Amino acid sequence: MRKLQIMIVLALIAFANSVMADALPSWNDGTTRTAIIDFVERVTKPGSTDFVPVDERIAVFDNDGNLWAEKPVYFQLLFAIDRVRELAPQHPEWKEKQPFKAVLDGDMEALVASGKKGVLELVMATHSGMTTVEFEQTVSDWITSARHPTLKRPYTELIYQPMLELLSYLRDNGFKTFIVSGGGIEFMRPWVQEIYGVPPEQVVGSSIKVEFEMRDDGPVLTRLPEIDFIDDKAGKPVGIHKFIGRRPLFASGNSDGDLQMLQWTTAGSGPRFGLIVHHTDADREWAYDRESHVGKLDKALDLAPANGWTVIDMRKDWHRVFGFEAQ
Amino acid sequence: MRKLQIMIVLALIAFANSVMADALPSWNDGTTRTAIIDFVERVTKPGSTDFVPVDERIAVFDNDGNLWAEKPVYFQLLFAIDRVRELAPQHPEWKEKQPFKAVLDGDMEALVASGKKGVLELVMATHSGMTTVEFEQTVSDWITSARHPTLKRPYTELIYQPMLELLSYLRDNGFKTFIVSGGGIEFMRPWVQEIYGVPPEQVVGSSIKVEFEMRDDGPVLTRLPEIDFIDDKAGKPVGIHKFIGRRPLFASGNSDGDLQMLQWTTAGSGPRFGLIVHHTDADREWAYDRESHVGKLDKALDLAPANGWTVIDMRKDWHRVFGFEAQ
């Protein structure tokens, strides 16, 4: 009975794949789309020398600037700014202390000058002092109500439609999709299932320490104002190893923060795929790379050709950027 | 097409469930087996007030003494002892330094006296100084060749057959099964898929730090002699939160090291299940609890009734302990 069930499911999946001529509809025909589809067909075709068993089809995606936008600054920073403003009355010392002062003064330049680590510290500090359950609720409330400062849309609409299709396409082909982001793991987990179809346990990210505490009304996990792990740059292969425990088959990023993840992934034996989102579309999204203070793409762009990484030219390769655009 | 496929799969799963009268064949009829099956039916029955969506059916299992045996000492310690003996010529200082001296002298009592943390340090120290790929190979070689000191069987045969059936039964009912062990995460990952049907990315455990390094022949992750995380006692809910990011529905352990995991799991809203393996069978396995130096079960046993946790009486509840016993 179990064997029959498995055979029917496999037959249905094979049939579904065969009619998937319309994979990646928001991608223009061209070398980028073709490279992705060729790779997936190569590793999923039974009997092919490049065939990879389903269990080993791990795909990792950076989040900021790769699955959703990251301008004018990382969206988690905009969340943190809202939190700083809300919590400021309880923290009079923030008026004189960077990077909090910059937030309260609305001085975005000073904030950016504090660097990614400073920004992460700000994020972590404003995200602590409550239980994990309370924080999850705070994030859930924010993600449904907040609006992007210039585009005036919910952040969950600022997801790249072609990347959503790529996530689905990979899953339809037996891949297990993970997010591997420099962003906070607990900032992403409350909404990734609904928005990306990625379950919370398939998110790797930066984290602060939490502590188990037995209170009178039961156990809680308290969030401490102390960084536990930064999942960026050389931290990304470490995070992948720690949380996933095997080398991905497919990695997608958009900045030098993803360089080591791309190197680690594509250095594996057998077929591997490295993908870079290059932001080249100032009309529909933003255009930036080597000089940008968020999502700086410099070294990884230089190293892409020698490593065989595929670079997405957003303007040329994507028929649509966001789901709300006319088809 | 996709909808039809999903409907057929769901129908097949429902049918498979309806004929699963033979679930848990190595469990004797009785209150323990009934409690498990009643719980699973309650949370999986569509329309039931206790129904839990598939996505949220997370089950966590301790490993040592819960899925496989742990006597005379944790099996990972026996692996570490083999490693210490192999590496000793390169470490003359170990002759005078505990807990290494105890290992080289074959002085198990002195080793046990160094405590769980000391033992973990020993394990971590002997597990470092190589790449992650090299370590994985070392573990894979050991697990296929090593034999238990008294039972003279491969460690992978010292798995509790009833627990294997429980893992399968839960998965057949839509649960995602995780291991949450005080043991080393990288000691378990190479063999859990084959032995337990649990993929490496669904293992939570203790870890040492690793570091990304770009060598001439490509990137590696180097294992450092520094503890990163101890997934035991109050660390277990922290590990569950860090790696899984949601509260389990079902938790199974066998010692006070699992107490906080059981508390955290069953404090969740709605139906939850806490399960304890009580080692009561000196003939077929071992009998131990409050006074044991491994798998000490004292506080958790006292707290079980008030918390509604189900306690397995190994002698009474299990028809077979190991798979190699006659059926």
Side-chain angles (χ1 to χ4, degrees):
Chain A
M1 160 56 212
R2 303 273 308 159
K3 263 193 192 157
L4 176 69
Q5 176 182 341
I6 290 164
M7 282 177 62
I8 294 176
V9 171
L10 288 178
L12 282 165
I13 289 170
F15 177 63
N17 287 345
S18 73
V19 297
M20 241 183 311
D22 281 346
L24 309 178
S26 298
W27 295 67
N28 289 320
D29 276 336
T31 51
T32 305
R33 182 175 181 275
T34 302
I36 294 170
I37 292 176
D38 281 356
F39 175 79
V40 170
E41 289 182 349
R42 211 147 50 86
V43 298
T44 56
K45 193 181 169 184
S48 148
T49 50
D50 286 337
F51 179 77
V52 176
V54 167
D55 280 348
E56 292 163 31
R57 295 182 200 156
I58 304 285
V60 292
F61 287 79
D62 173 49
N63 185 38
D64 298 308
N66 195 58
L67 293 180
W68 73 356
E70 59 183 348
K71 290 279 186 180
V73 291
Y74 300 119
F75 295 172
Q76 187 173 2
L77 186 51
L78 299 169
F79 166 75
I81 286 170
D82 289 349
R83 295 287 300 151
V84 166
R85 288 185 184 137
E86 263 180 68
L87 297 170
Q90 299 156 46
H91 294 273
E93 75 280 10
W94 283 355
K95 277 182 196 153
E96 301 306 325
K97 193 182 168 192
Q98 292 296 14
F100 306 97
K101 185 178 183 309
V103 172
L104 297 175
D105 296 348
D107 183 353
M108 203 57 85
E109 264 181 53
L111 186 56
V112 167
S114 72
K116 195 157 184 178
K117 197 160 180 294
V119 163
L120 256 172
E121 270 169 30
L122 169 78
V123 168
M124 295 306 167
T126 60
H127 290 39
S128 73
M130 73 285 280
T131 69
T132 53
V133 172
E134 288 161 352
F135 183 69
E136 188 181 334
Q137 191 57 54
T138 305
V139 172
S140 296
D141 291 346
W142 181 83
I143 201 83
T144 51
S145 62
R147 293 289 180 278
H148 187 273
T150 60
L151 299 179
K152 310 290 179 200
R153 287 182 178 273
Y155 292 99
T156 50
E157 287 186 12
L158 303 177
I159 306 288
Y160 305 130
Q161 178 63 25
M163 297 304 278
L164 271 190
E165 293 165 7
L166 177 55
L167 284 169
S168 292
Y169 174 64
L170 289 172
R171 285 193 294 260
D172 286 344
N173 281 281
F175 282 77
K176 204 163 174 177
T177 53
F178 287 79
I179 291 168
V180 177
S181 170
I185 193 166
E186 296 194 61
F187 173 71
M188 296 180 280
R189 278 177 165 160
W191 49 269
V192 289
Q193 174 80 60
E194 193 183 330
I195 306 303
Y196 298 137
V198 173
E201 60 270 22
Q202 285 165 222
V203 178
V204 180
S206 298
S207 57
I208 59 175
K209 293 200 171 166
V210 305
E211 190 177 52
F212 180 83
E213 199 187 322
M214 187 51 102
R215 294 188 182 166
D216 289 343
D217 58 347
V220 295
L221 292 171
T222 312
R223 294 170 57 80
L224 307 178
E226 192 184 341
I227 288 179
D228 180 41
F229 179 61
I230 296 197
D231 188 52
D232 194 32
K233 299 191 173 71
K236 286 209 173 188
V238 172
I240 287 170
H241 179 72
K242 186 198 292 243
F243 284 79
I244 306 176
R246 38 185 163 192
R247 199 189 299 244
L249 202 58
F250 186 109
S252 166
N254 72 299
S255 79
D256 283 0
D258 302 310
L259 174 59
Q260 289 86 348
M261 175 171 85
L262 288 161
Q263 289 173 322
W264 174 245
T265 298
T266 59
S269 62
R272 308 276 165 171
F273 201 88
L275 184 65
I276 293 177
V277 174
H278 190 189
H279 294 262
T280 53
D281 196 328
D283 295 325
R284 295 183 299 175
E285 206 242 3
W286 281 273
Y288 59 96
D289 47 34
R290 298 181 194 275
E291 304 297 329
S292 179
H293 61 81
V294 288
K296 177 178 170 173
L297 176 65
D298 185 38
K299 263 182 136 172
L301 199 55
D302 289 340
L303 290 170
N307 283 281
W309 300 333
T310 298
V311 179
I312 296 168
D313 180 337
M314 191 183 274
R315 173 179 288 274
K316 212 180 97 208
D317 290 325
W318 287 357
H319 175 61
R320 280 201 296 174
V321 174
F322 298 117
F324 55 76
E325 293 167 18
Q327 296 216 26
Chain B
M1 162 54 213
R2 301 275 306 160
K3 261 192 192 157
L4 177 66
Q5 176 183 341
I6 290 163
M7 282 175 63
I8 293 175
V9 171
L10 289 178
L12 282 166
I13 289 169
F15 177 62
N17 287 345
S18 72
V19 296
M20 240 184 311
D22 281 346
L24 309 178
S26 298
W27 295 67
N28 290 321
D29 276 337
T31 51
T32 305
R33 182 175 181 275
T34 303
I36 294 169
I37 292 175
D38 281 356
F39 174 80
V40 170
E41 289 182 349
R42 211 147 49 84
V43 298
T44 56
K45 192 180 170 186
S48 147
T49 49
D50 285 337
F51 179 78
V52 176
V54 167
D55 280 348
E56 291 163 31
R57 294 181 202 158
I58 304 284
V60 291
F61 286 80
D62 175 50
N63 185 39
D64 297 309
N66 195 58
L67 293 180
W68 73 357
E70 59 183 348
K71 289 279 184 178
V73 293
Y74 300 120
F75 295 172
Q76 187 173 3
L77 186 50
L78 299 170
F79 165 75
I81 286 170
D82 290 347
R83 295 288 298 151
V84 166
R85 289 185 184 138
E86 265 181 67
L87 296 170
Q90 300 156 47
H91 294 272
E93 75 280 9
W94 283 356
K95 277 182 196 153
E96 302 305 325
K97 193 182 169 192
Q98 293 295 14
F100 306 97
K101 186 178 182 310
V103 171
L104 297 175
D105 296 348
D107 183 352
M108 203 57 87
E109 262 181 54
L111 187 57
V112 167
S114 71
K116 194 157 184 177
K117 197 161 179 295
V119 163
L120 258 171
E121 271 168 29
L122 170 77
V123 168
M124 296 306 167
T126 59
H127 291 40
S128 73
M130 73 285 281
T131 69
T132 53
V133 172
E134 288 161 352
F135 183 70
E136 188 181 333
Q137 192 57 53
T138 305
V139 173
S140 296
D141 291 346
W142 181 85
I143 201 84
T144 51
S145 62
R147 293 290 180 277
H148 187 274
T150 61
L151 299 179
K152 310 290 179 199
R153 287 181 178 273
Y155 291 99
T156 50
E157 287 186 12
L158 303 177
I159 306 289
Y160 305 130
Q161 178 64 24
M163 297 304 276
L164 272 189
E165 294 165 6
L166 178 55
L167 284 168
S168 293
Y169 174 64
L170 289 172
R171 285 194 293 260
D172 286 343
N173 281 282
F175 282 76
K176 203 164 175 177
T177 52
F178 288 79
I179 291 167
V180 178
S181 169
I185 193 166
E186 296 192 62
F187 174 70
M188 296 179 278
R189 278 177 165 159
W191 48 269
V192 289
Q193 174 81 60
E194 194 183 329
I195 306 302
Y196 298 138
V198 173
E201 61 269 24
Q202 285 165 223
V203 178
V204 181
S206 298
S207 57
I208 59 175
K209 293 198 172 169
V210 304
E211 190 176 52
F212 179 84
E213 198 188 322
M214 187 51 103
R215 293 188 183 167
D216 288 343
D217 57 348
V220 295
L221 293 171
T222 312
R223 293 170 58 80
L224 307 179
E226 192 184 340
I227 287 178
D228 180 42
F229 178 61
I230 296 195
D231 189 52
D232 194 32
K233 299 191 173 73
K236 285 210 174 188
V238 172
I240 288 170
H241 179 71
K242 185 198 291 243
F243 283 78
I244 308 176
R246 37 184 161 193
R247 199 189 298 244
L249 202 58
F250 186 108
S252 166
N254 72 299
S255 78
D256 284 359
D258 303 310
L259 174 59
Q260 289 87 347
M261 174 172 85
L262 288 162
Q263 289 173 322
W264 173 245
T265 298
T266 59
S269 61
R272 308 275 165 173
F273 200 87
L275 184 65
I276 293 176
V277 175
H278 190 189
H279 294 261
T280 53
D281 196 328
D283 296 325
R284 295 184 298 174
E285 205 241 3
W286 282 273
Y288 58 96
D289 46 33
R290 298 181 195 273
E291 305 297 329
S292 179
H293 61 81
V294 289
K296 178 179 169 174
L297 176 64
D298 185 36
K299 262 182 138 173
L301 198 56
D302 289 340
L303 290 170
N307 284 280
W309 300 333
T310 298
V311 179
I312 296 167
D313 180 336
M314 191 183 272
R315 174 180 288 275
K316 213 180 95 206
D317 290 326
W318 288 357
H319 175 61
R320 279 202 296 174
V321 175
F322 298 118
F324 55 76
E325 293 168 17
Q327 293 215 28

